[in-house]
Amino acid sequence: MQVWEPYALGETTAVRAGTVELALAGAADAKVTQVADRTWLIDAPEATAAQWRVPCVRVSAFWTPLGGTCWVPPIWSAPLVSRLTAGAPVVSLIGTAGANVCTVGLAEPVAQVSFTGGVMEETGEFVFTLHGDGLRIRLDLSERPFSAAVADVAAWWKDDASDLPPAPDRARLPVYSTWYSMHQEVTAESVELQARLAKELGCETIIVDDGWQTADRTRGYAFCGDWEPNSAAFPDISTHVARVRELGMSYMLWYALPFVGKHNAAFERFEGKFLRYLDHMDAAVLDPRHPEVREFLIDRLVQAVETWGMDGLKIDFVDRFATPGGDPAPGEGTDCTDVDEGVRRLLHDLDARLRRTRPDVLIEHRQPYTSPGLWPYANMIRAVDCPLSSQENRQRTVDLRLAAGPVAVHSDMILWHPDEPAEQVAVHLINALFSVPQISVDLAVQRPDQLAAIRFWLGIFHRYLGTLQLGTLRPEQPEHGYPLVRAYDYHTTIVARYAALPVDVPESGELLVANADSDPRVVLYGTGSAHVEVHDCGGAPVRAATLALESGACVVEVPMGGLLTLRRD
């Protein structure tokens, strides 16, 4: 019988969790507690590393919060690093039909930890290796859906957190963003026009992105850092904000938090307090370990809420505080050693200051800075930029949903070519169905059929918000990018169909099937009878009938971008 030796850990202590033996490095003592079916907590406060292996039987994919679902990696793959400013400490090995094989999470939301996972060719086993200073591990070997195992890790993090403010209702309502539709060409007049049109279609918040702070239009960051409005485009920003809010829209403003451009007064002021200079961005990254840097940034950002009347902030590029190759040594005048600790202090103090003026302030973060250690300081997390890639938007928002805990997950801004058919506009929206959609096209030039698709699907987002965003989420076939996703609660099941896959009809309650595939033949499996309505991509009725479900398959035609609604008699 082959004896497995721990891989490059040195002297170890062995502990057992069910059928798995873990090798712990640097651990004088460890406690193993079973907390659920085939799920254990391993408390090893002195451990610096842990390693174990599981058989690769019926294994199909490996899931991480940074890269989503991917192929099963070899053992020599580079480590996945999670820290406060990037990633989240959870990974999952997935079997056929989306079943969990091994999901592991760490109760470490701030300090840096690393995961290495891969197949050992000699044995056909998957080897997990963790490194960190003191380990508290949740190990789930149950065979339930992997999405449930990952969601339970997020619930575990939430239980460990204290005083997490709930996400405001507005954080879960559709958004209009200026970025793809206007880029830096923003003015008070153009923003007010899009805000009015967006409100009429069902958006409740507008995010004004880069360009408000500069007259420069070269798309660089040389003019970021002083954070004062471009007076030509926004001559009276407080009055402008008030006009937008009178429409019933919340207003959020973009900030590239770490950057100070070379054409700003702050650049000279903080010379010597930079982490590094980015030539390709014409900007430096400020060092948040300096108290005066944090105080300056807080003063700059809070004026949007305290003085100009904003409802919240889009805080961008938090991940850029991390320096490739490791943090530089702290300089004179710093009050902490780790850059991540400086970031945590910055965001903590910013949050406290903002909530004095607006307790329900809206704060957006973005992939990859999705750590549970940032949950107290953000109530919106957006998928990373993936312009016009609806499939990537779907995968990223679903991945975010699994591990986002109490934070509202937003799609990347949705855009399309002006000639896009209305059916394809609806497909873009359906791909963001299980997140908060952010729209970013010029609404003033949309055709009536395109506007109808936006209005119809934003209406579905509003009407079924509870099920879509707060219900149980079950994405299927992760190895294929989630070609079918389901969300459900006690009353309603909503299925988004991105490929020609059959749909199981629940025995009770309401079923909605959103068809994002070009094949209109939706195959239903169920029994009994039900009333069926079909609407096209703009909400126009196509069919209404009583359907007799047989024990086999039943086919209902639903046009691409359309919606099937089924209610039991």
Side-chain angles (χ1 to χ4, degrees):
M1 178 178 177
Q2 182 177 3
V3 177
W4 175 67
E5 295 293 340
Y7 183 74
L9 289 190
E11 186 176 348
T12 63
T13 301
V15 300
R16 181 167 290 276
T19 58
V20 167
E21 182 175 288
L22 294 88
L24 302 175
D29 190 23
K31 180 182 179 182
V32 180
T33 306
Q34 185 166 0
V35 294
D37 179 40
R38 301 195 67 195
T39 305
W40 293 266
L41 291 184
I42 299 97
D43 282 290
E46 298 179 14
T48 57
Q51 192 175 90
W52 66 95
R53 59 180 180 165
V54 296
C56 279
V57 177
R58 294 187 292 274
V59 165
S60 63
F62 185 60
W63 181 92
T64 76
L66 285 175
T69 308
C70 67
W71 55 86
V72 181
I75 197 169
W76 61 81
S77 299
L80 299 164
V81 177
S82 172
R83 57 190 297 174
L84 182 72
T85 52
V90 57
V91 295
S92 182
L93 187 64
I94 306 170
T96 54
N100 175 57
V101 174
C102 181
T103 295
V104 55
L106 282 172
E108 180 44 82
V110 176
Q112 181 170 307
V113 296
S114 70
F115 294 80
T116 305
V119 175
M120 179 183 286
E121 298 170 7
E122 293 86 348
T123 65
E125 294 168 307
F126 196 92
V127 179
F128 290 85
T129 306
L130 311 181
H131 286 91
D133 292 329
L135 299 176
R136 186 164 182 250
I137 304 167
R138 180 184 171 96
L139 183 67
D140 188 332
L141 302 174
S142 65
E143 296 179 359
R144 60 210 175 111
F146 92 97
S147 54
V150 174
D152 277 359
V153 172
W156 176 54
W157 291 333
K158 185 179 178 183
D159 288 343
D160 273 2
S162 60
D163 299 324
L164 281 178
D169 293 342
R170 283 266 166 156
R172 300 189 182 278
L173 296 175
V175 170
Y176 182 86
S177 169
T178 65
W179 180 236
Y180 292 144
S181 58
M182 302 186 202
H183 285 105
Q184 291 183 312
E185 301 292 340
V186 288
T187 65
E189 292 77 13
S190 63
V191 168
E192 289 167 28
L193 172 62
Q194 297 300 325
R196 177 176 59 80
L197 297 174
K199 177 65 177 179
E200 293 170 358
L201 292 170
C203 292
E204 302 294 338
T205 297
I206 187 166
I207 299 176
V208 174
D209 212 288
D210 189 3
W212 67 269
Q213 81 292 351
T214 178
D216 179 74
R217 296 295 182 255
T218 58
R219 296 274 294 272
Y221 296 90
F223 295 89
C224 290
D226 289 341
W227 301 116
E228 293 292 345
N230 168 18
S231 58
F234 297 92
D236 185 347
I237 195 165
S238 297
T239 300
H240 157 66
V241 171
R243 285 196 293 264
V244 171
R245 298 187 79 239
E246 285 171 2
L247 298 170
M249 293 283 278
S250 297
Y251 199 129
M252 297 175 64
L253 198 61
W254 170 88
Y255 288 85
L257 186 64
F259 298 154
V260 56
K262 64 182 182 181
H263 297 314
N264 287 256
F267 188 88
E268 184 176 347
R269 173 180 172 181
F270 290 107
E271 188 79 47
K273 295 181 174 64
F274 300 153
L275 291 170
R276 62 193 183 282
Y277 184 79
L278 305 173
D279 290 312
H280 65 294
M281 289 186 169
D282 290 328
V285 177
L286 290 165
D287 188 344
R289 294 175 293 185
H290 290 274
E292 57 268 39
V293 167
R294 300 196 299 268
E295 291 168 8
F296 169 79
L297 289 174
I298 291 168
D299 285 341
R300 293 292 84 198
L301 269 65
V302 298
Q303 71 175 338
V305 174
E306 291 181 349
T307 305
W308 303 334
M310 303 285 178
D311 295 279
L313 309 175
K314 173 179 179 174
I315 299 179
D316 212 350
F317 296 111
V318 171
D319 53 310
R320 297 300 183 94
F321 279 116
T323 300
D327 297 345
E332 183 179 352
T334 57
D335 63 358
C336 53
T337 302
D338 297 330
V339 169
D340 279 1
E341 174 58 19
V343 173
R344 190 198 66 78
R345 295 182 186 188
L346 168 61
L347 296 176
H348 175 275
D349 294 347
L350 173 63
D351 179 76
R353 176 87 174 268
L354 289 169
R355 290 183 187 279
R356 293 178 202 167
T357 301
R358 198 172 295 282
D360 58 349
V361 65
L362 298 168
I363 299 293
E364 182 193 271
H365 286 179
R366 171 183 54 80
Q367 284 180 315
Y369 47 100
T370 60
S371 165
L374 296 178
W375 288 356
Y377 317 126
N379 40 49
M380 300 157 61
I381 294 178
R382 179 177 64 81
V384 76
D385 297 23
C386 48
L388 234 165
S389 179
S390 56
Q391 297 88 346
E392 185 177 0
N393 221 353
R394 172 178 82 241
Q395 291 178 246
R396 287 189 174 279
T397 52
V398 169
D399 288 333
L400 276 173
R401 275 286 308 275
L402 297 181
V407 183
V409 170
H410 286 234
S411 73
D412 183 38
M413 292 77 71
I414 302 170
L415 80 153
W416 50 84
H417 189 275
D419 295 335
E420 193 78 281
E423 294 84 358
Q424 195 63 37
V425 170
V427 168
H428 282 289
L429 292 165
I430 294 170
N431 272 277
L433 189 62
F434 302 95
S435 65
V436 180
Q438 293 196 12
I439 309 295
S440 192
V441 293
D442 184 351
L443 297 174
V445 300
Q446 299 299 300
R447 302 188 311 267
D449 60 333
Q450 294 170 321
L451 292 172
I454 300 170
R455 185 177 291 107
F456 174 63
W457 280 104
L458 291 192
I460 297 299
F461 281 105
H462 275 274
R463 196 174 315 140
Y464 293 96
L465 181 150
T467 306
L468 288 169
Q469 294 189 41
L470 302 174
T472 300
L473 187 68
R474 287 290 180 268
E476 297 190 8
Q477 299 186 22
E479 68 274 23
H480 298 305
Y482 310 129
L484 189 141
V485 182
R486 175 183 291 102
Y488 60 89
D489 54 26
Y490 291 110
H491 310 290
T492 304
T493 299
I494 301 175
V495 175
R497 174 183 180 267
Y498 306 103
L501 297 175
V503 176
D504 292 323
V505 179
E507 295 182 357
S508 61
E510 183 180 30
L511 170 69
L512 277 69
V513 180
N515 182 33
D517 189 68
S518 59
D519 187 343
R521 297 168 297 180
V522 175
V523 179
L524 303 174
Y525 281 94
T527 58
S529 63
H531 181 71
V532 169
E533 296 177 0
V534 176
H535 292 82
D536 69 12
C537 65
V542 173
R543 177 187 179 188
T546 298
L547 187 68
L549 295 167
E550 305 297 337
S551 56
C554 181
V555 178
V556 179
E557 290 206 357
V558 181
M560 184 174 74
L563 178 70
L564 177 152
T565 304
L566 182 149
R567 298 179 179 90
R568 292 287 188 177
D569 292 336

